[in-house]
Amino acid sequence: MGSEFVQFSLTPILIGMFAAMACALPGNFLILRRQALIGDAISHVVLPGIVVAFLITGVVSTWPMLLGAAGAALVAVILIEAVRRLGNIEPGAAMGVVFTSLFAGGVLLLEQSDTSSVHLDVEHALMGNLEQLIWLRAEGWGSVLDPVALSHLPPELPRMAVVFALIAVLTAVFWRPLKLASFDEGFARALGLPVSLIGLGLVTSAAAAAVAAFDAVGSIIVIAMFICPPAAARLMTNRLGLQVAWSLAFACLSAILGYVLAGYGPLWIGASGSVSAAGMVAVVSGVILALACLFGPARGRVGVAAGG
Amino acid sequence: MSDFFSALLLQAGYNAALVAVGAALLGFAAGAGGSFLFLRKRALVSDAVAHATLPGVGLAFIVMVAFGGDGRSLPGLLIGSAISAWLGLLAVEWMVRRTRLSEDAAIGAVLSVFFGLGVVLLTVIQSMSQGRQAGLEGFLLGSTAGMLFQDAVLIAGGGAIVVLLIWLLRRPMTLVAFDPGFAAARGVDVRRVDLAMMGLVLAVTVIGLKLVGLILIVALLIIPPVTARFWSERAEAVVWAAGVIGAVSGYVGAALSASAPALPTGPIIVLISATLFAISLLFAPARGVLASILARRAFQARVHRRQGLLALSRSEPIHDPLTVKILRREGLMRADGVATDAGQAAGAKVARDERRWSIARKQHHDTALTGRYDGLTPIEDVFTADEIAHFDTAMMRGA
């Protein structure tokens, strides 16, 4: 674990971990509420958001794009709700209609506008550029304490850390109402909790996590982390507190293992080069989920004997 | 514009015409096949299926290259994608049956993990010497630009076969999609029909890969059925309408894209179907937004008219502006708020019906009949003339 590790692998791994945890945290509640695919929908509509932001500002810079993505996520959530209510359509289908249409619009805008010259393409939005978030100024573990080197950290790292911290604090503060509203909406409503407001807050923080993460790590990780770690965690325990802890652990494990396997895995089997880190993180989270499906202590459905 | 019309009339070259016909057939198959999923409330399963095709495409390429082939042969890639999509479907099924995860979590897990694996394989392929020009990224969003004649034939032929299969299986699939319990009671093997349904969706996805791409094929499976649902309450009509909507989207989209090279086929097809959806959402009779606004207003007008007539019959002053407007428009009330002759007559009838209803509710304990008292249904629609005469005598006696 020498200076090379600090330079090339430390920051991507940390960014991946924060992104994974920031997505997994709201994912726990989305899964309980059967809204797991909100993450999928949001990460698709992020694309038109960035394209529109680029067309308006004409520059590829972080803040306009983040704002555009956040705006698109908000528009998508509102449209899904509008289609569901106005058309009296079940939520899954409403979601499918909205996010595919917006995504198609994004692709069309992208092809129509001359954005291919700048670094803005669909693959980037899908796969992110985790591998490129290296910390060039680091010269070893000592740099962690060196203010000059620290000021050259990739900006994605502090941003992702802040977003994760924010979501963690919000989750802790609203723990009880979130828990009640997710497990038993009727009961929560009877207690006088603002159930729809809680739901909106949850979706908003999920969108914030997705938007902050997609830029650094791409939407594959976002979708996978919203669902796989919380789903695996749900099969490990019956208690929500423990489930959240498991999901964070699984998210970290996926990010670390995925990045290491993507970077060094091909070398170990004698091949050269590396494979997509974002894809590998998703694959590792899938393996963890598969193991949890096979061996998780709380995997069975209620009323069905384990393994039955 | 003239380019567009010549493409629309299949005059823009043999290849373009074949693509347009293929897109129409594919759109029909996707719309009709997707409506079974939609009616079964499993629309997003197609999302998992579509994403799960990617690792198959990558693996098929690697295998074909390993055996000394070209790697880009479309049938080979499609077989690979079909196998991995089938595995993805099985994984969703297995998770829903064997664990306590709900279907949406299973769908999300499968789509993200399979897609991630596909992306990993794509990066492996890019590092292979044969892989640099593979153009497999085209499967993400579709590409007609690089489409060979054989590819177009494959899409058109495959689409035709799927449409035929849907026609053959329409009865059991409609039954199962609409009411699985009833279908099981009729002796239909629900599980096998479900599998057939999934198989068709899978076929549509695989055939559509080259044309619209794996991310957007989901749109063709979901949007036309939801659109068709606005136009009919009958399951079978929804299936065929969805097919037609999908076919129109595919055909017009392919023609548009053929006439302007900068317009990518997949997104155009999807956006046309999204436009049809938006129009239906707003203007469809019965279930559209406009129709329901009109129905609401008509209902409101009837309520106000009746309340106004009751007030007239009791010579009470009316203050509600909407009520005043309705009564005056129908000539039931003068500008100074006094009832006209017609208004007095109508008011008297409404008041009499009200009294009849109160007697009817006392005498009839049949709630199915008296439950229809909503103040708007004329009593003649619920009771026979004899019964009403009976109420009237009771009324006289009571008075």
Side-chain angles (χ1 to χ4, degrees), chain A residues 25 29 165-178:
Chain A
L25 204 47
F29 300 96
L166 198 69
I167 291 177
V169 168
L170 282 175
T171 311
V173 170
F174 293 105
W175 180 259
R176 237 184 80 81
L178 256 179

Side-chain angles (χ1 to χ4, degrees), chain B residues 56-57 60-61 64 70-82 134-136 138-139 142-144 146-158 205-213:
Chain B
V57 170
F61 182 87
M64 284 191 285
D70 174 27
R72 271 178 300 177
S73 130
L74 189 59
L77 296 177
L78 295 191
I79 290 170
S81 69
L136 294 189
F139 282 98
S143 59
T144 39
M147 198 180 285
L148 303 171
F149 178 70
Q150 302 96 284
D151 300 352
V153 172
L154 194 69
I155 289 167
T205 309
V206 167
I207 297 164
L209 277 186
K210 183 80 180 169
L211 193 65
V212 271

Side-chain angles (χ1 to χ4, degrees), chain B residues 197-208:
Chain B
M197 225 183 261
M198 292 300 167
L200 284 176
V201 167
L202 189 102
V204 169
T205 309
V206 167
I207 297 164

